[in-house]
Amino acid sequence: MLLCIDTGNTNTQFSIWDGRRFLCHWRAATDHRRTADQYYVWLRSMMSLTGIEVDIDACIISSTVPRVVFNLRVLCNRYFETRPMVVGKPDCLLPAPPRVDPGTVVGPDRIVNTWAAFDRYGPDLVVVDFGTATTFDVVDSDGAYVGGVIAPGVNLSLEALHMGAASLPHVDVTRPAQVIGTNTVACIESGVFWGYAGLVREICARIAGERGQAMKIIATGGLAALFHQIEDLFDTWDDDLTMHGLRLIHDYNKEMGNV
C-alpha cells in the first residue's frame, strides 16, 4: 500500500491508498523538530484507533518545508523499509514538467495540485489553494503548470492584523451575517471574508483575460469549504486534490519503471 505525505507550512497530512481508494486521512501540526520515531509512534496510534492494519510498501512525499523532509525520509526507510519518492527532486518524474522562467523552483504542492486537477477536470484551469498562502495555479491544455499567483493566506492576514494593530482582537474567519459590521469583530470578519472573495474573483478574472479564454476554477485547501459557500466563486471544491495528485505521480513513475 502507498503512504502519501503532504507537508505544508501549518499542517502535515498522511493518507493511505490501498490501490482502489484512500483508507484514511490524518493531520498533524508541521514541526521540523519531530523525529522519525515520533512520526511512527503517532501513525501507529492513529492506525490503532481507527482499526487499520496495513502493509505499507511505497511512500511519496510533497513538502513545502525542506527541514522536515529528512525525518520523513528516515520514517519511510526505517519503519516501512522503502525509499520514498519526493516530488520536486530530480528522480521523481512528472507527467508534464512546469513551464516557467529558467531557474524557478515551483513548490511541490503546486505541481501535485496541477496534475490532480487536470486529471479530474481537464485542461485550462485555475487551482485556488487556501493554505498558509493563498495560491492560484494555472493549468495549461496538456496539464502543465504554467505560472500563477501567490497571496498571503487568510489566517496569516488575520494574525498580521492582530499583531500590527494593538486594539484589534484576533478573530476566526467565518462568513458574516451582513457586509456592514456593527462591532469590531464583525467588521474584521466582513473585511477578511469579502475581501478574499473579491481577491479570488479579480485574480481569476484577470488570469482568464490574459489567457484569452474561460478558465474553470477549482478550490482546495483548509478554508476552501468556507468560501465555497459563495455562489459562483468556484466551479467546484475538491478537498482531497493533493492526495489524489500524489497517488497519480507515484503511479506515473511506476508505469515508467522509475519505482
Side-chain angles (χ1 to χ4, degrees):
M1 294 189 184
L2 174 66
L3 175 63
C4 298
I5 306 173
D6 174 49
T7 298
N9 290 290
T10 304
N11 294 312
T12 298
Q13 181 171 334
F14 299 80
S15 299
I16 297 175
W17 173 259
D18 72 352
R20 296 175 301 164
R21 62 188 178 95
F22 282 106
L23 300 177
C24 57
H25 297 286
W26 299 310
R27 293 181 186 272
T30 298
D31 184 352
H32 70 272
R33 298 168 299 179
R34 185 173 285 122
T35 66
D37 302 327
Q38 290 173 314
Y39 278 121
Y40 182 70
V41 170
W42 179 81
L43 274 173
R44 292 304 302 176
S45 297
M46 296 306 296
M47 290 180 188
S48 177
L49 286 171
T50 52
I52 294 176
E53 288 294 334
V54 296
D55 181 18
I56 293 171
D57 56 11
C59 302
I60 185 168
I61 300 168
S62 168
S63 177
T64 58
V65 187
R67 297 176 70 185
V68 307
V69 174
F70 174 78
N71 282 319
L72 290 173
R73 283 184 180 271
V74 174
L75 165 72
C76 299
N77 286 326
R78 179 181 298 166
Y79 290 105
F80 303 123
E81 298 181 349
T82 182
R83 181 174 180 271
M85 183 172 296
V86 181
V87 179
K89 298 299 183 183
D91 59 348
C92 179
L93 303 178
L94 299 175
R99 291 195 288 273
V100 293
D101 294 341
T104 300
V105 178
V106 180
D109 56 329
R110 307 183 80 177
I111 295 171
V112 171
N113 285 346
T114 294
W115 190 248
F118 177 74
D119 179 73
R120 283 184 167 170
Y121 307 106
D124 304 317
L125 310 171
V126 179
V127 180
V128 184
D129 188 352
F130 289 89
T132 305
T134 301
T135 59
F136 299 74
D137 304 327
V138 181
V139 186
D140 208 350
S141 57
D142 63 348
Y145 170 88
V146 292
V149 176
I150 301 175
V154 178
N155 285 319
L156 193 62
S157 295
L158 280 168
E159 188 65 27
L161 186 64
H162 171 61
M163 293 178 66
S167 62
L168 295 182
H170 184 277
V171 302
D172 293 326
V173 61
T174 186
R175 180 170 183 166
Q178 57 191 35
V179 175
I180 301 173
T182 54
N183 58 68
T184 302
V185 170
C187 288
I188 296 172
E189 289 174 346
S190 184
V192 170
F193 183 82
W194 293 113
Y196 268 86
L199 178 145
V200 169
R201 285 194 192 278
E202 181 69 12
I203 289 179
C204 289
R206 287 185 174 273
I207 289 173
E210 285 190 10
R211 300 285 291 176
Q213 63 186 71
M215 305 289 284
K216 187 177 290 186
I217 314 301
I218 312 299
T220 191
L223 291 174
L226 175 65
F227 286 92
H228 189 50
Q229 298 175 22
I230 303 173
E231 186 177 357
D232 298 330
L233 187 61
F234 312 119
D235 288 289
T236 192
W237 161 52
D238 195 325
D239 188 43
D240 70 340
L241 195 66
T242 304
M243 290 294 116
H244 178 64
L246 284 172
R247 193 266 297 178
L248 288 175
I249 290 174
H250 183 271
D251 286 353
Y252 176 76
N253 278 265
K254 191 172 182 179
E255 291 170 7
M256 300 297 291
N258 195 42
V259 177

